[in-house]
Each structure stands twice: as C-alpha cells, then as structure tokens.
Amino acid sequence: MLDLINFIGAAVAFNLLFFLYASTKMKNKFNPVHTTLFAIIFNIPLCILIATVYTITLAYAVYLGAGEEWVWEYLEHSSTSES
C-alpha cells in the first residue's frame, strides 16, 4: 500500500512540475499558478482511479482467499504475458 501511495505522490509531483514548466514555455504565456491548479484538479480523478483499481483487486483477492502478495504476483505475471 505504501508503494501505491508513493507512486501516486510521484505522479502528482511530476505532473505539477511538468505543467508548471510547460506553462512558462508556451507562446501564450499561461499563468503558472492557474496551470498548476488545473493540474491538481485533473490529478484527483487519476489518483481516485488508481486507488479504486487497487482496492477492487485486493477485494477480489480476499474473496478468493489470497493475500496482497498474490495480487502483485498476478499483476506481474499478467503484464509479462501480454508483452
């Protein structure tokens, strides 16, 4: 769970810094503060979506009688088999 929180935090930080940097480089100089607020607003649904998918996967694992380790093994196996 801590890894998920760290991932979400890193994604939010990256997006905020990207929007802040991009707003200074555009021809139509956007206000960096407004652009950063825009990024925060659109990061909230992304974080909720990621947390929801993780929670549903854990609920399914509990339903099957498995634990969190099984979920990560399942996700790693399914991502490598698709490639």
Side-chain angles (χ1 to χ4, degrees):
M1 187 67 168
L2 186 59
D3 291 334
L4 180 68
I5 293 170
N6 288 336
F7 174 74
I8 291 172
V12 168
F14 174 78
N15 283 321
L16 289 176
L17 291 174
F18 173 76
F19 276 105
L20 188 61
Y21 173 76
S23 68
T24 62
K25 299 297 178 189
M26 309 231 356
K27 287 183 181 178
N28 302 334
K29 296 287 184 189
F30 292 119
N31 185 345
V33 174
H34 291 123
T35 308
T36 305
L37 290 175
F38 178 79
I40 290 171
I41 290 169
F42 280 94
N43 273 309
I44 292 170
L46 176 64
C47 295
I48 292 171
L49 177 68
I50 291 172
T52 303
V53 168
Y54 181 74
T55 304
I56 289 171
T57 308
L58 278 180
Y60 181 65
V62 169
Y63 174 74
L64 292 177
E68 185 177 3
E69 295 300 321
W70 176 85
V71 172
W72 288 114
E73 288 177 20
Y74 176 76
L75 291 174
E76 289 173 2
H77 175 69
S78 64
S79 66
T80 56
S81 65
E82 292 175 2
S83 301

